[in-house]
Amino acid sequence: MAERINHQWRLVARPVGMIRESDFEWTQEPVPSPGENQVLVRILYLSLDPANRGWVREEGSYMEPIPLGSVMRGVTIGVVEESRHPDFKPGDNVQGFLGWQEYALTDGSTLRKLADNPAIPLTAYLGLFGMIGLTAYFGLLDITDPKAGETLVVSAAAGAVGSITGQIGKIKGCRVVGIAGTEEKCRWIAEELGFDATINYKSEKVREGLKRTCPNGIDIYFDNVGGETLDAVLANINLGARISICGLISQYNATAPVPGPYYFSNILTKRARVQGFIVTDYLRRAPEALSDLTKWYQEGKLKYRVDVVEGLQNAPKAVNKLFEGSNQGKLIIKI
Amino acid sequence: MAERINHQWRLVARPVGMIRESDFEWTQEPVPSPGENQVLVRILYLSLDPANRGWVREEGSYMEPIPLGSVMRGVTIGVVEESRHPDFKPGDNVQGFLGWQEYALTDGSTLRKLADNPAIPLTAYLGLFGMIGLTAYFGLLDITDPKAGETLVVSAAAGAVGSITGQIGKIKGCRVVGIAGTEEKCRWIAEELGFDATINYKSEKVREGLKRTCPNGIDIYFDNVGGETLDAVLANINLGARISICGLISQYNATAPVPGPYYFSNILTKRARVQGFIVTDYLRRAPEALSDLTKWYQEGKLKYRVDVVEGLQNAPKAVNKLFEGSNQGKLIIKI
């Protein structure tokens, strides 16, 4: 058998501002063979996420920074090709942090076997039934405790997390307002997902949009973006508002310190609660979320879409779609 | 009987920046007589508090703004002189929002009778056994849930609220670090109140002081000041930190929008919780706090001091001591 080649993207420079292809090097090496207790996985799908931008910073964010010269970190779905590990056998579909490459050798410690459910496409494990779904579920329900009749605002509402968050808000009886950056996205979340109102921040000031769509103020804000949007929300919160800080994508590419919200003092006067979270703190509670998400999905109450880009070579360019807002649903590389 | 005169300070202009005496007018009118179900109170003590600055803004803060021409709002202790109200009789000591004046007529709805306890001086009802003590108690215990061994940082630590908050933190087993603005204040909170470490922000950068005094990071921050101090704390918080926003005195006199903390993103990466509160939301739970505070006071675990300024005429000048940091303990006007 001819020697097989594993292509990889390695981080070779710390990005300044947007990620450039030149921050990575396209390398290749022979596909390795598993040693004892090791598994060789052929990677099928790579998830691209806003958190990737934090991982390449020198200071890191959530996780240790990725050392220069290493294969870029990433959440992946793959299939076991060879195994000398008792828990995995060839053909098993698995999820893990295997990085921006075609093959990976692993000791299995971060690998999770995926249920063999023909009704669920593999890519859904990078979205609704993966970190994305868990993020929306716990970030909304655990952090903000939404009550029927409350007004919930979601930013990046057509994004992978935001679109699921808004739908869970609807399931819980909230009035849901989504902020997105194109007419197409606004139409999708309103007409397909059932959001009550939308704000296209490219065609309307968010502050004015919130006044228009939230005449009774804002009880809950699920924040994916930070920056001016967070400020506009803080200016309109009700007493006892809860703000779940899921992401601050507007400032991930910042090259200078970014001031916090000018309406920070409303946290005091409105007795609001602002809480950051990360989905990995909730992994032990994943079963309760997956049970609800599966039920809601089968009842037709949860919809999602994926934006699949073909070819690992395109990963460094494709990741910036997240920061430009040009992806339509969960951004995935098909390898 | 000669007609008695009631002197009053009325708000006549909205302060810009620091409060000026010219924002008030010194007026007088005959002392009124109570009608049916009314009480006439002679005011003995007037509490001056940072919140006063918010009440004179056009937008208000917590409470409705004080209309121009009205007697300035303030928490007071007084004695009932005449009563046509079934719940009050002459000689009763009472607390209420009776304002910057010598006498007040009231329907009794906001009046609270004070226990007749010779061990507790009347001024303590404006401090340890009043709003101040309740603010420290609930703002620390209910909002941040401190655990023994955690590091608690308190700003304005020699102030009325901060000094009690730090002592409650010690009672709960925390390592307590206080930030204050003079050597005398730092000495007082360390030597008399038992704080573990202090930072004099006039002689040391808070950021460096926190590195020096909190080598294991900050678990809890009780914030009375906001601004750069909050930012320095956010730069040093631990995973799961809780921040109780009690006050933002550094920006109450601001004449232009103030940016929020530049380290706001640490709320996300450290999964921190930031929560604003106001003591009036806790008044129904006052008995549980007063029971603990009384017990701790009698055990010698809680000390407090008052800064008494003589004469209602001095109120507009004296209130700025709070913003200059020149008061030594709870600031009170003796009338």
Side-chain angles (χ1 to χ4, degrees), chain B residues 215-266:
Chain B
N216 300 318
I218 298 163
D219 301 299
I220 303 171
Y221 177 46
F222 189 97
D223 192 10
N224 288 301
V225 305
E228 288 176 24
T229 307
L230 172 58
D231 232 342
V233 168
L234 281 173
N236 288 287
I237 53 173
N238 290 332
L239 276 185
R242 288 88 70 201
I243 298 178
S244 180
I245 305 284
C246 174
L248 299 167
I249 198 170
S250 70
Q251 61 192 67
Y252 291 173
N253 290 310
T255 52
V258 177
Y262 285 78
Y263 280 88
F264 187 89
S265 62
N266 277 14

Side-chain angles (χ1 to χ4, degrees), chain B residues 5-63:
Chain B
I5 297 297
N6 179 24
H7 288 101
Q8 308 168 307
W9 278 114
R10 290 176 182 273
L11 183 70
V12 294
R14 304 264 171 225
V16 177
M18 297 282 266
I19 291 173
R20 291 162 308 169
E21 192 166 329
S22 59
D23 297 324
F24 297 90
E25 191 180 358
W26 180 247
T27 60
Q28 61 179 65
E29 57 182 38
V31 173
S33 291
E36 200 175 344
N37 284 314
Q38 284 190 322
V39 183
L40 177 69
V41 177
R42 181 162 59 87
I43 297 170
L44 304 172
Y45 297 101
L46 164 67
S47 178
L48 296 181
D49 300 281
N52 298 166
R53 184 62 185 84
W55 298 343
V56 298
R57 301 173 84 89
E58 194 164 356
E59 319 84 63
S61 157
Y62 301 128
M63 293 183 158

Side-chain angles (χ1 to χ4, degrees), chain A residues 62 260-261 268 271-272 274 276 278 281, chain B residues 260-261 268 271-272 274 276 278 281:
Chain A
Y62 300 130
L268 173 59
R271 289 94 100 180
V274 177
I278 178 170
D281 290 342
Chain B
L268 173 59
R271 289 93 101 180
V274 177
I278 178 171
D281 289 343

Side-chain angles (χ1 to χ4, degrees), chain A residues 56-101:
Chain A
V56 297
R57 301 171 84 87
E58 194 163 355
E59 318 85 62
S61 158
Y62 300 130
M63 292 184 160
E64 288 301 296
I66 297 165
L68 292 181
S70 303
V71 174
M72 176 65 190
R73 185 186 292 144
V75 178
T76 54
I77 298 276
V79 58
V80 173
E81 284 237 326
E82 295 174 51
S83 176
R84 294 183 61 191
H85 190 294
D87 297 345
F88 300 94
K89 61 176 196 302
D92 283 350
N93 289 321
V94 291
Q95 178 166 17
F97 277 93
L98 300 183
W100 292 21
Q101 54 186 341

